[in-house]
Amino acid sequence: MPDFTALHTAYTALSSHRRRIDVAGQNIANVDTPGYTRLRAELTNKVGNSATGLFSGPAFPLGVDVSSISRLRDEALDQQARGASSRSGFLSEQTRALSLVEERLGGLGEGSLSAQLTALWGGFADLANDPGSSTARHVVIQRASQVAATTNELATGVVAQHDAEFDRLQALVREVNDLAHGIAALRPGIIAAHASGEPAHELLDQQDRLLDRLAELVGVQAVRRPDSSVDVYLDGHNLVSDGAVKPLEATRSTPVDVHGFARVEVRAGSGGRALEVRTGSVGGLVTVVNHALPDQLARLDEVARAIADTVNTIHTQGRGLLDATSRNLFRLDGPNGAARHLQVEPDLLAEPDHLAAAGGSEGRFGASIAWELARIGDTATDPARAFDRLVGEVGARVAALRTSHEAAAATTAQARSARESVTGVSLDEELTNLVESQRAYEAAARLLTTIDQLLDTLINRTGLVGR
Amino acid sequence: MIVQRVTKSATRDNLLTWMAANQRRVSQHHEQIASGRRLNATSDDPSASVAVLGHRRQLERLHQFARNGDHAKAWVETSDATLLSVSDQLNRARTLLVQGANEVLTPEVRQVLRLELNAIADEVLALANTTIDGRSLFAGTQPGPAFGPAPGGGVQYDGDLHGRLTSSVGPGQDLEFGTPGSVFVAPGGWNVIDRLRQAADEVGAGATADVRAAMDDIDVMSHQVLAELGRVGTISARLDSLAERRDTLIHDTGRRMSALEDVDIADAVIRMRSAQASYEATLATVAQTLSTSLLNFLR
């Protein structure tokens, strides 16, 4: 055992505990930094190998060493938190978009389409009570125009929202690409630090923050390499690999469906294959633009067609005040886009007296047709009823989405807090470490003093006994 | 046992989440109390919303039925009054005809009776052409007056003989309420106005046998009018009972709707107070928790 080893031991203790205090300081300084991962100085006791050869003996202690500064992070918890936030993003986008739809339908409001339709049936009844009246006809035509205008507005609202949601999708995809570039840009620094053995904690924290956001947006799969850099995959597409980014692109396909909507795809690069994005905000938006909104418009078209058909079928059997020509009340141009194109026949708009109240066999002041039109409101096929059903369904869907989203948000919060309990800084813990390190430092200093005194005794006092 | 580390940011995040949740609850109750409505969007309670929408449509329909019923009622009442007047006039004509059948009357008296009978014919014509809201009461679905001049002199019925008017007074309840002008036309095809004028001439000419025949004809007509009066009375009673039932329905539907969509204020206020209390408790906890650490105790 070499001489003065204890002196060296004391030195390793001093420097190691200084290092621990540094790390505690770093942790305390970053107690409120979002995405900061706490560090821990890992201490190991050093054991000196006895020299091999002639004087080999048992191993002897050589003090303590900071073997590494570890970043306390649990990959499994990361995965869990990211999975939860992907789902939360998926549901949050759908909830937001469908809430807009619900708001636009104005189901419970006084001026909803269903209320306007009921007012139209009422207008027919008022006309039936006074079948010779031009005023009553004016009122009916006005209400019919209002119904048509509201239906048009609802439909164009869906189309406008479709455009807006697509713009939003493009913005999100741009953000995904930016994040991917950010992750790729971090790679050289991380690899260099890894190679040199110097910890690159800030870079890794940054990488995790980017991955968190990416997970919320598209729910990617991140594969950590041995050199601490990551590759990012999305439905088998290597978004980031080897520091190279293959960006995504949101496209609208040309084949337009019956409602005038193009199918929206997220593609792997321009001209690449269409990816299935089933989670994250982007996945939510894709669902909204490819399913929720087209469904919505199809339902509105059904309602519009029901309005035109039920009214026209009856109205054509009647006659107006001026002549016996049979006319439609509503006009639909073409089989598609019924809700967008519903309008009152221009003929009747120009001359409301053409509105039929009397049946074919009745006198001009007959009212059987007007009554029959008014009675639409009592039938099971009342379009107002169909519209209310639509409103109810959207409401139920929003309520269900909201509940799932709240649950997902709670899960996300839980997963984050589980992760936070590993990666986060606890002041009490750091302060305890601080006190501990301080005491250890003091004790090491004491050791130094003791050995110094021993040496003093050995060097200066040896042989002076009894002098 | 899993010892979960309690870190500062986890504590902070949790507290913020709770605070936000509490605040949201308080503001939800605020909104409900301020608007007085439990349902502010369909998604607040989809099934209740659908029920409310159904009730609202029904209420709107019921009000419309009430308007239809009122309209029919006005029509029926006018018919009733008019037919009653016609009946009076016919009774008066009957009395005059009884006088006119007397063979010993002087020509002057016959003349007076003739004039009076003609005046009654004019009055009955005017009554038969009574209008309501610009429409002829007895013309059925035809525009214009019920009785107009006939090509060969006299008057003829220009309205529908079959055209009884109907009104929709309830879901699936259609009520015939109009009186066609056929009530003034005898099964033989002659109408009461022409018959009265003819009888006047017969009285003037002193043809007592013809006058007696006229008395029988006027009796036939009186019966016809009285029968129609009875029908009108039935319809009027039916309309009244329908209106009563409708009012009950309107009241019930309104109450059901209110139960679904209106806020129970006492309940809402208590809920708001408790939400507020838990919010304040959270705030107090935040103030305590965040300021406490080992630092308070280390020297």
Side-chain angles (χ1 to χ4, degrees), chain B residues 20-263:
Chain B
N22 277 325
Q23 227 165 354
R24 209 166 35 237
R25 266 220 302 278
V26 171
S27 94
Q28 240 167 28
H29 292 306
H30 268 167
E31 189 186 330
Q32 287 192 354
I33 291 171
S35 69
R37 297 165 70 111
R38 199 172 67 83
L39 302 173
N40 286 302
T42 330
S43 51
D44 288 348
D45 186 344
S47 62
S49 298
V50 170
V52 164
L53 288 173
H55 286 328
R56 189 178 290 176
R57 251 195 346 261
Q58 199 197 352
L59 208 55
E60 188 55 44
R61 297 294 298 155
L62 285 171
H63 283 300
Q64 181 64 47
F65 289 138
R67 275 209 298 286
N68 299 347
D70 289 349
H71 180 265
K73 180 81 180 159
W75 193 283
V76 165
E77 274 169 359
T78 316
S79 300
D80 187 70
T82 311
L83 288 172
L84 217 55
S85 305
V86 170
S87 177
D88 286 351
Q89 294 294 330
L90 290 181
N91 284 342
R92 172 92 187 116
R94 178 77 164 63
T95 318
L96 294 175
L97 285 177
V98 170
Q99 282 180 36
N102 195 334
E103 285 171 12
V104 296
L105 292 179
T106 61
E108 288 76 19
V109 176
R110 288 184 190 286
Q111 207 50 34
V112 171
L113 288 177
R114 191 177 75 87
L115 283 175
E116 208 168 334
L117 278 168
N118 270 328
I120 288 174
D122 290 347
E123 181 58 28
V124 171
L125 176 61
L127 286 170
N129 280 340
T130 306
T131 59
I132 175 168
D133 296 335
R135 280 183 76 191
S136 203
L137 196 56
F138 300 107
T141 62
Q142 295 294 342
F147 287 87
V155 296
Q156 65 174 16
Y157 179 49
D158 291 334
D160 296 332
L161 278 174
H162 63 285
R164 290 211 181 267
L165 301 177
T166 52
S167 181
S168 185
V169 286
Q173 287 173 311
D174 295 334
L175 188 74
E176 288 193 338
F177 67 94
T179 304
S182 52
V183 71
F184 303 118
V185 180
W190 48 267
N191 66 63
V192 66
I193 296 119
D194 284 349
R195 190 69 189 89
L196 280 168
R197 291 214 170 109
Q198 194 193 332
D201 289 344
E202 285 160 359
V203 168
T208 45
D210 290 341
V211 172
R212 278 200 197 91
M215 277 162 62
D216 290 344
D217 283 350
I218 294 302
D219 281 348
V220 167
M221 197 45 69
S222 273
H223 276 126
Q224 213 167 301
V225 169
L226 282 176
E228 184 62 26
L229 261 174
R231 208 182 71 89
V232 166
T234 320
I235 292 173
S236 177
R238 172 110 195 273
L239 278 172
D240 286 345
S241 83
L242 278 173
E244 221 167 280
R245 279 227 304 279
R246 208 164 39 225
D247 285 348
T248 320
L249 258 179
I250 287 176
H251 178 79
D252 287 352
T253 310
R255 215 188 42 214
R256 271 202 296 274
M257 237 171 86
S258 156
L260 284 172
E261 69 176 353
D262 291 349
V263 167

Side-chain angles (χ1 to χ4, degrees), chain A residues 26 71 186 199-207 209:
Chain A
Q26 171 78 353
R71 228 170 131 254
L186 287 174
H201 301 308
E202 323 72 51
L203 295 183
L204 290 173
D205 278 352
Q206 220 171 323
Q207 194 180 48
R209 271 199 294 272

Side-chain angles (χ1 to χ4, degrees), chain A residues 32 38 102 107-108 118 122 125-126 129 131 363 365 371 374-375 378 385 388 420-421 424-425 428-429, chain B residues 5 7-9 12 42-43 46 50 53 56-57 60-61 64-65 67-68 71 135 141-142 166-167 174 294:
Chain A
D32 273 336
R38 81 185 156 109
E102 185 195 14
L108 288 175
T118 308
D126 289 340
N129 284 329
F365 281 6
W371 280 126
R375 265 179 232 127
D378 302 329
R385 221 172 268 208
D388 281 350
E420 189 57 41
S421 76
V425 177
D428 293 355
E429 188 180 309
Chain B
R5 293 176 68 248
T7 62
K8 189 157 177 289
S9 43
R12 187 196 51 206
T42 330
S43 51
V50 170
L53 288 173
R56 189 178 290 176
R57 251 195 346 261
E60 188 55 44
R61 297 294 298 155
Q64 181 64 47
F65 289 138
R67 275 209 298 286
N68 299 347
H71 180 265
R135 280 183 76 191
T141 62
Q142 295 294 342
T166 52
S167 181
D174 295 334
L294 195 55

Side-chain angles (χ1 to χ4, degrees), chain A residues 267-309:
Chain A
R267 291 183 178 280
S270 51
R273 73 185 170 94
L275 300 175
E276 264 195 68
V277 188
R278 289 221 196 83
T279 179
S281 306
V282 170
L285 269 179
V286 169
T287 310
V288 165
V289 290
N290 279 343
H291 300 291
L293 292 178
D295 282 356
Q296 193 54 220
L297 195 58
R299 295 294 300 274
L300 282 174
D301 281 351
E302 262 169 49
V303 171
R305 221 170 293 128
I307 294 173
D309 287 349

Side-chain angles (χ1 to χ4, degrees), chain A residues 142-211:
Chain A
Q142 208 173 15
R143 289 184 184 168
S145 313
Q146 190 67 51
V147 163
T150 306
T151 314
N152 300 159
E153 261 168 48
L154 289 176
T156 47
V158 175
V159 175
Q161 192 185 353
H162 191 270
D163 285 343
E165 302 293 3
F166 181 68
D167 288 348
R168 187 173 161 76
L169 177 65
Q170 280 186 314
L172 289 188
V173 167
R174 265 199 300 279
E175 192 182 345
V176 167
N177 290 337
D178 288 349
L179 291 169
H181 282 293
I183 289 171
L186 287 174
R187 186 168 182 265
I190 290 173
I191 291 178
H194 186 81
S196 71
E198 276 294 312
H201 301 308
E202 323 72 51
L203 295 183
L204 290 173
D205 278 352
Q206 220 171 323
Q207 194 180 48
D208 280 325
R209 271 199 294 272
L210 293 176
L211 283 172

Side-chain angles (χ1 to χ4, degrees), chain A residues 3 45 68 126 138 171 182 188 199 254 262 288 302 340 356 373 386 412 431:
Chain A
D3 297 330
N45 53 339
S68 69
D126 289 340
H138 270 286
T254 26
V288 165
E302 262 169 49
R340 257 174 300 170
L373 287 167
T412 312
L431 287 170

